[in-house]
Amino acid sequence: MPTTPNPPSGEKAPLISFIVTFYNLPAHLLDECLASILSLTLSPEEREIIVIDDGSDDNPLEAISDKIDEIVYIRQRNRGLSAARNLGIEACTGQYIQFVDADDLLNTTVYEHCLDITRHKDPDIVVFHLSDKKEQTVPQTYEGPMEGSEYMRRNNLRASACGYIFRKKTLVNLRFTCGILHEDEEFTPQLFLRAERVFSTSAKAYYYRDRHHSITREDDKQWVLKRLSDTRGVLYRLAEMADTLPTADREALHRRIDQLTMDYLYNVITLTHNGRFLEKCVEELTQKGLFPLPDKAYTQKYKWFRRISNSRQGRRLLCMILK
């Protein structure tokens, strides 16, 4: 099991460690990101900000020189987002962890609501929303506590690791899988299954920039095929894991697997527009017991997609109408 550092003897651990991952971005975005964290009502003793530079071509330190005393800067050779986050986990000493991508921001006023839950409700996870707008509306209510498996059975799990504050001890030995795209899809459900006290709020506490050259917008053919292959691998590993779990946890994970299977097929259609490739993927999913999609009332989109995709004719229709 990986070991993690403890604060120096006699010092209290920070409440929260912000792990900020940075790679080849305009340095002013990192500066804005750090400013949003430093604007929170956290004393220097309550917060820890760790910037993991994943081997960027240019060092960003000059652009954030006025904040250098407020952060821990760690540079690694370029190994990808998963490795950067794993390094941040090993390095941090906070009771809780918040991942932040360096080109994004915290909606400071709204995020304070999440911090209040963290301070006063002893959560394992605080779930909030991401937004492409700089929100100011602070909700007055939240749900919880509930076990992580209960949350997964009742809700569509949002995979992004930036969408929640979580207790570091909840991880145990859980880490991100290196070398794959969309690593959050594998990490997040496993984290929730470890959690006993989950609180959920409608707070839009995290502002993300929909940047044109982000991973999710990449349209290179080889990149698309890797994205689909990596998602398929995550599906198979989660399915194998589900077979070993107690009934309640297995039901919770299967809901996530069903939704991820739907998303995978949707992406096969919209990213390749190749009917033969789609049928090959359906055949492989069928052999793994992941298709046809089970008749569940998860969401309207799921019900609609399940009915149409269950026949070859319906899949041909989807190839024609989905862009």
Side-chain angles (χ1 to χ4, degrees):
M1 182 183 304
T3 59
T4 53
N6 294 314
S9 178
E11 292 186 16
K12 184 178 180 180
L15 175 67
I16 183 167
S17 294
F18 297 92
I19 298 175
V20 181
T21 49
F22 176 87
Y23 176 68
N24 280 355
L25 294 168
H28 73 87
L29 295 181
L30 174 60
D31 187 60
E32 291 177 29
C33 174
L34 296 177
S36 74
I37 298 172
L38 291 168
S39 296
L40 296 167
T41 58
L42 289 166
S43 68
E45 293 75 28
E46 291 180 301
R47 69 168 184 257
E48 178 181 57
I49 305 174
I50 300 178
V51 176
I52 307 293
D53 183 344
D54 186 33
S56 298
D57 295 335
D58 298 315
N59 190 310
L61 289 180
E62 183 176 349
I64 58 170
S65 58
D66 60 326
K67 299 177 178 65
I68 198 68
D69 292 337
E70 305 288 348
I71 70 170
V72 176
Y73 176 83
I74 303 175
R75 181 179 173 87
Q76 66 173 19
R77 64 180 176 83
N78 181 232
R79 296 172 56 210
L81 179 60
S82 290
R85 285 176 171 171
N86 289 342
L87 180 56
I89 291 170
E90 301 301 331
C92 73
T93 62
Q95 301 170 57
Y96 290 88
I97 291 175
Q98 170 70 62
F99 288 115
V100 188
D101 292 341
D103 52 343
D104 297 335
L105 305 170
L106 299 181
N107 285 323
T108 304
T109 302
V110 188
Y111 193 83
E112 293 286 355
H113 169 70
C114 304
L115 283 179
D116 285 343
I117 298 173
T118 305
R119 286 181 173 118
H120 303 301
K121 297 300 178 181
D122 191 35
D124 290 327
I125 301 176
V126 178
V127 186
F128 51 85
H129 289 257
L130 281 63
S131 175
D132 60 357
K133 297 179 176 60
K134 294 183 179 180
E135 302 284 349
Q136 297 294 326
T137 304
V138 180
Q140 301 302 310
T141 60
Y142 53 83
E143 294 183 2
M146 68 188 84
E147 291 188 348
S149 61
E150 179 187 357
Y151 179 87
M152 291 174 66
R153 291 194 300 273
R154 292 172 48 186
N155 297 276
N156 290 334
L157 189 65
R158 298 185 297 274
S160 174
C162 296
Y164 40 87
I165 302 169
F166 63 90
R167 192 192 305 273
K168 183 180 179 181
K169 288 182 179 179
T170 305
L171 285 173
V172 192
N173 62 344
L174 176 62
R175 299 294 184 269
F176 291 91
T177 299
C178 293
I180 67 171
L181 302 175
H182 302 289
E183 55 281 306
D184 295 7
E185 295 286 5
E186 186 170 14
F187 176 88
T188 302
Q190 295 184 73
L191 178 65
F192 272 76
L193 290 177
R194 287 163 160 78
E196 297 180 356
R197 291 177 58 82
V198 174
F199 290 80
S200 176
T201 170
S202 62
K204 296 179 179 179
Y206 186 103
Y207 168 65
Y208 70 92
R209 289 183 170 92
D210 189 14
R211 302 177 69 246
H212 180 69
H213 295 294
S214 69
I215 288 176
T216 57
R217 299 291 291 272
E218 180 62 61
D219 59 3
D220 175 81
K221 182 179 179 180
Q222 293 303 314
W223 196 268
V224 166
L225 291 177
K226 176 172 173 52
R227 175 182 175 182
L228 295 174
S229 175
D230 288 350
T231 301
R232 198 163 56 244
V234 169
L235 273 172
Y236 296 164
R237 290 192 292 275
L238 291 179
E240 289 177 4
M241 182 187 308
D243 290 340
T244 69
L245 297 175
T247 301
D249 289 354
R250 184 167 62 250
E251 290 176 358
L253 186 53
H254 270 299
R255 172 170 179 157
R256 185 60 197 150
I257 291 168
D258 296 342
Q259 292 170 309
L260 188 56
T261 302
M262 177 192 72
D263 291 342
Y264 166 70
L265 290 174
Y266 184 92
N267 286 331
V268 168
I269 294 168
T270 58
L271 294 175
T272 72
H273 300 288
N274 186 320
R276 287 187 177 180
F277 183 66
L278 173 61
E279 291 307 315
K280 179 181 177 181
C281 294
V282 166
E283 181 181 353
E284 187 172 332
L285 290 173
T286 302
Q287 292 173 353
K288 294 287 186 177
L290 298 174
F291 192 87
L293 293 169
D295 186 4
K296 302 285 187 179
Y298 296 141
T299 64
Q300 283 299 117
K301 178 182 177 181
Y302 178 89
K303 291 190 290 184
W304 169 81
F305 189 91
R306 184 197 67 80
R307 286 197 296 267
I308 298 178
S309 67
N310 272 2
S311 69
R312 184 182 290 267
Q313 183 178 4
R315 293 192 292 274
R316 288 175 181 165
L317 177 62
L318 289 172
C319 286
M320 289 189 290
I321 65 176
L322 292 177
K323 305 297 182 183

